[in-house]
Amino acid sequence: MIYAMSTGVVRSISFELNGLLNGRLSNASHLYELFNLTSFGEIVNDVALKQRFGYGVVDNGYSFALFNYGIVGLTLIMLLYLISVRNLLKQGHFVYVIVILMFLTLGISENIIRAPYMNFTMIFWYEAIFFNQGLNKDATKII
């Protein structure tokens, strides 16, 4: 949205960032042109993107998650990740945190955040939901 509606210095920065990301921001802005942003999302049909722009590739995982799951859904996803990372840090599982952060960074350039079959890091959401019974350093205490 910043890319599509910004002006001045912010627009210059967003255009520069778009170039560094190989046009991913401009591709994502096409979603905003064709589909309405809703609270609970809708299924994004890439056929409409192909008809209007000649291609249907929008590979920013956060943009697709925002349109597929809506504002509420994306907020819930990010909240689950935030709580999971916090709880994993409290337990000293730094390797898991690094894996999650690397995966979430990859979500900027690949459409992997929204799909459970590609997003193996969703398993760490267990930490957000069942913190007191989750991963322990002592393997005998795992649920």
Side-chain angles (χ1 to χ4, degrees), residues 25-36:
L25 296 179
S26 59
N27 290 344
S29 72
H30 296 318
L31 285 173
Y32 295 97
E33 294 174 23
L34 290 177
F35 300 100
N36 294 323

Side-chain angles (χ1 to χ4, degrees), residues 91-131:
Q91 295 178 12
H93 295 291
F94 303 111
V95 173
Y96 296 147
V97 172
I98 291 169
V99 169
I100 290 171
L101 294 178
M102 287 173 47
F103 189 83
L104 292 176
T105 303
L106 183 63
I108 295 169
S109 63
E110 297 298 331
N111 189 13
I112 56 176
I113 300 296
R114 71 183 173 108
Y117 62 89
M118 290 188 288
N119 189 349
F120 68 93
T121 62
M122 287 181 177
I123 195 147
F124 293 109
W125 292 357
Y126 181 84
E127 280 300 305
I129 299 168
F130 300 107
F131 173 60

Side-chain angles (χ1 to χ4, degrees), residues 18-102:
N18 185 50
L20 292 172
L21 293 172
N22 296 324
R24 285 181 168 88
L25 296 179
S26 59
N27 290 344
S29 72
H30 296 318
L31 285 173
Y32 295 97
E33 294 174 23
L34 290 177
F35 300 100
N36 294 323
L37 189 57
T38 64
S39 296
F40 294 100
E42 62 181 86
I43 301 298
V44 173
N45 183 358
D46 66 347
V47 173
L49 289 169
K50 288 177 187 174
Q51 288 174 346
R52 182 157 179 197
F53 301 106
Y55 57 93
V57 178
V58 176
D59 54 1
N60 182 311
Y62 297 100
S63 294
F64 255 110
L66 180 61
F67 281 92
N68 279 339
Y69 302 128
I71 297 167
V72 173
L74 183 62
T75 302
L76 180 62
I77 289 170
M78 291 297 105
L79 185 63
L80 284 168
Y81 275 118
L82 181 67
I83 294 169
S84 297
V85 166
R86 185 195 68 192
N87 292 346
L88 288 167
L89 286 172
K90 282 182 181 178
Q91 295 178 12
H93 295 291
F94 303 111
V95 173
Y96 296 147
V97 172
I98 291 169
V99 169
I100 290 171
L101 294 178
M102 287 173 47

